[in-house]
Amino acid sequence: MVLCEAETGVDADGKVVVLRGVERTSTEVRPLLTYLAQPDERPSPDPCTLDGWVMPPMVLVDDAARFVYPTIPVDGCGKPLGWYDRDARPLVWDRLTYTDRVVRTR
């Protein structure tokens, strides 16, 4: 599994630029695959909160370098399953062990 993270900043012209990119890889995929296999919940008939989330740029890669971009299972408000429990128990991709590699620096 590869999870990409970027550290951004603003240049002298006021444009947002990538200062540093990090490729985080993990071979602990079983908990992630179990999580990803869950179905989405039905849309909620009740109002949802406005707090948003951004899907982490995630790629699943096998030994033959084949890859897929997974879809995160969501609750009735369109947030990742477990979103509201994240303070007590971080979402599954935040609990994995990673090896980091800087892939771009400015």
Side-chain angles (χ1 to χ4, degrees):
M1 197 260 314
V2 178
L3 183 69
C4 299
E5 295 182 352
E7 188 177 309
T8 59
V10 179
D11 68 9
D13 297 325
K15 292 177 19 184
V16 175
V17 294
V18 174
L19 301 175
R20 179 174 169 261
V22 177
E23 179 182 273
R24 306 187 80 201
T25 57
S26 179
T27 56
E28 269 186 75
V29 294
R30 190 161 313 278
L32 181 63
L33 293 177
T34 300
Y35 176 81
L36 294 174
Q38 298 178 92
D40 291 343
E41 292 180 353
R42 292 182 178 267
S44 174
D46 300 319
C48 296
T49 61
L50 292 177
D51 57 334
W53 76 284
V54 176
M55 163 75 175
M58 185 184 310
V59 181
L60 300 176
V61 184
D62 69 8
D63 291 338
R66 296 175 297 194
F67 62 92
V68 295
Y69 296 97
T71 301
I72 304 295
V74 294
D75 65 17
C77 289
K79 297 185 177 67
L81 291 179
W83 175 258
Y84 294 104
D85 300 328
R86 70 188 183 281
D87 292 333
R89 183 174 179 184
L91 293 166
V92 68
W93 55 83
D94 291 328
R95 296 191 310 261
L96 302 178
T97 302
Y98 292 97
T99 300
D100 291 354
R101 179 173 73 93
V102 175
V103 293
R104 179 178 178 182
T105 57
R106 179 158 196 233

